[in-house]
Amino acid sequence: MTRRISITALLLFLLCLGSVVWAGEVITRDLPVTSMPVTEDTTSVFISGGPALSVAPVTVLPVAEQPVRVDQKLIAGIAIDDQNDDAQQSALEGIIIAVRSKLEIDASFNQFESSFYQEMTGPISYYLRWFDSKGNSIYVTANARGDIISLDNYTGYDMYSYQGKPRFPLLNKAQVLDLATGYIEQICPELADLLDPNPTFYLNRYSGYVLYYEHLLNGIPVEGDRLSLTIDQDNGALRHLYRDWRATEYNHTDDPAKALAPSVAWETLQREAGLELRYRLLYDYDAYYKATPETPYTPEVILEYAWRKSPSYYIDALTGDIYYPPRDEYSIYGGMGGSSLMAEMGINDEARMEELTPQERERVEALADLISAEEAIASLRRMPYLEFSPELKPNSINYNPDYNDRNLEILYIYFSNDSQVREEGQLYRWASASFDARSGDLLSFSSTVQRETPYRWLQPYKLSGERREEMTRTAISFLEAVKPELSSQVNLHDVMTGETILPYWQENLTLSFVRQVNGLPLEDDYLMVEINLESGKVVGFQQRWHQDLTFPTPAPVISLEEAYAAIAGIESPALSYVVVPAILTEEDELMSYPTIFDAKLVYNLARISWVSVDAHTGSIYQEGSPYMSVSETGDHQYNDIQDLPEAFKVLAVADYLKLPYAESFEPEEQITQAEFLRWVNGIYYEGYLLRDDESFYYSLRYTGFWDESYNDPDKLLTAMDGVKYFVRFLDYGPYLRMLGLFVNPLGLSDEDAAYVALAVGNNAITFATFEPQAILTRYDAAVMIYNFLARK
């Protein structure tokens, strides 16, 4: 079957992949609102419990006087085929009617365009766009049944309107949840009874309230299936809807009533992936970003119990067996990066050196003893087992400091054959390599290999056990020749045996060799080798290796049983469904787009797979960082603020910033610098940086307002201190330089008067109640932030 795909279709397809914005003013439905008198230009409405809003008028294009009933069989049954233009037209008409039956579109949207896109063996997606003469657009993606998959709209919405200073939303969560329920019933009613009624819910100040609804099957979540909505925080308009959903019907479902106990999954996990001792690097990022060549930073090495084998599989909930669902695998390539700094720039020219600053001169001198690109390329061409065609020529050479190791200077070289005329069916060829620019040591390499056949006709690759062993020997021989000192310190990680069926798009076999110390692995350090499946040569290499590490002794450590008990105390295998294609043959799995799905009931181990235990202390780590329980995210109730005159302000700020206090707020406690800055930081970052000191202070420095001289985390703040940090964080630096221009009723210095005036102007404080040298309590800080966020 042939298809005509226009440039417009492709552009719309790419645009629809992005997360754009939907202005819900162009949709009408039965909302929990009370209509007010209508004027010629606007419709005023009151949302129950909220303030008055003003939205654009709604006029419906004349589709039909009665609700349109769409024959779903008719829509789905028509194939898009170049030989049948009538069928194409009829199918598109059916899709438009199906979409318009769920949406009411303003009459001003009097222009329309559409396209469709179909993968080689996949389903058809339709892209519909209504737009007006002012540049407002409504985008809809629909499937061949007329279901709305995504809905985005720029209408009446200024995409930059949320870029200013943040403030409290006009709608609360209960109101938004009611609105979301109505939108779901209107736009995708077929999903309404399949959704978890308690969505994940958070406020994004740039776009509004974001809700994620999980797909429930027999009361169990279906992994990966969800519906997302973004609703305007001020007027309740639907700005975005996206259905990440594979199917509403499945070939069969496993009965949760027949599931084995979670303890069976836990026992299988211990048996198959069990904990083992290994080393891991623990970074102090605050110290890391202060490192210089003169004062280098070395990460701490800890000894931990971690999973011997990453439990990236599931446990079949009915049989207790390990279950591997079909999933993608990705190759790891050596990196290119950094801004260009050519070696041939005359960096030792004395006249030019005199024009440099001391810092610039220091950088120039550091480059004086680096190897040349010619030396690096020559060494690359001498390396055995490497797939590096002589037709590849260097076209980019960069010298840059390494972002992981500030003491390491790296030479990056990029090669390509783009100057040659390539025959039809051949691919663009390229390679990249990076070297230690002082020693000439190879750090990474990546290269393409010309296929013998066009990409789309490649068949699944059957990798035999013998072929895998042969490729492994090639990788070991390459490392022994290129990395003789390091190759003796590594072991092959995750060794597989027997025949393996690889997807048609996978070109290379990736082998990871992990560093061993005291007989224990340090997975942070490794040598990665990629072998091309067709040529059997090395097409990729990557090295990550830390020098000057101090390794703790393996003993004494807590017992394996104690490590399991520590993890079991915070995590538990959870039931979920995994949706997979109903596979008939291996070729169906790897080459065809699935049309029938199975829902497999499993115990999901994803959360547990990232948990480890410090072998000396028993502390829990999650995803490489110290484990902390999830903070409160809303509906705070404190037992010690009832008598405060503005207790509601404390609760509002606690919800907005996700403050991590449980039952007691301790309102009269004098607040510390670190605590107050976390609160202020949460105004912009929605509380996401409340847990990590290192990331938090790095973020403050990144904003440009923070200076190391301010850094005194345990300092108890006065009211004046709080005002200064608050105003600095709001980025009012230019105004602070206008000393002497501000109202100064308190007799402060010109600098302090500027801070106070800007705080008053932003509604954070008032002159009448502000006492500069008074202690700043938690209650004072909460009121200050509330007043700012509640401004009109």
Side-chain angles (χ1 to χ4, degrees), residues 208-251:
Y209 282 103
V210 180
L211 298 86
Y212 292 107
Y213 290 84
E214 282 191 300
H215 176 194
L216 293 185
L217 191 62
N218 296 326
I220 305 296
V222 179
E223 186 173 322
D225 281 9
R226 67 180 185 179
L227 179 71
S228 63
L229 293 86
T230 302
I231 295 178
D232 191 286
Q233 58 192 330
D234 294 332
N235 61 24
L238 179 64
R239 301 216 174 275
H240 171 75
L241 178 145
Y242 180 69
R243 179 201 312 225
D244 189 3
W245 208 283
R246 277 153 288 192
T248 54
E249 298 179 359
Y250 299 100
N251 194 40

Side-chain angles (χ1 to χ4, degrees), residues 168 636 638 641 644-657 659 665 679 763-766 778-790:
F168 280 130
H636 289 72
Y638 297 125
I641 64 171
L644 296 176
E646 296 179 300
F648 70 95
K649 293 185 178 182
V650 174
L651 295 176
V653 169
D655 283 349
Y656 187 85
L657 302 183
L659 296 183
F665 182 71
W679 291 19
N763 204 47
I765 62 173
T766 65
R778 283 183 177 175
Y779 175 65
D780 297 329
V783 171
M784 176 189 295
I785 292 174
Y786 178 92
N787 291 339
F788 168 72
L789 293 173

Side-chain angles (χ1 to χ4, degrees), residues 25-26 90 151 201 231 289 395 430 448 455 474 497 608 666 689 692 695 707:
E25 291 91 339
V26 297
S90 178
L151 184 152
F201 206 123
I231 295 178
Y289 285 106
N395 62 11
W430 59 268
T448 59
Y455 177 81
T474 298
T497 59
I608 301 175
E666 300 181 8
L689 298 179
D692 188 333
S695 299
D707 184 275

Side-chain angles (χ1 to χ4, degrees), residues 284-319:
D284 178 346
Y285 286 98
D286 195 43
Y288 170 78
Y289 285 106
K290 296 177 184 177
T292 66
E294 292 74 26
T295 58
Y297 169 72
T298 302
E300 177 187 358
V301 182
I302 65 169
L303 185 64
E304 67 176 6
Y305 280 105
W307 299 109
R308 178 182 67 252
K309 183 178 180 182
S310 177
S312 56
Y313 47 80
Y314 301 90
I315 306 298
D316 188 309
L318 302 184
T319 66

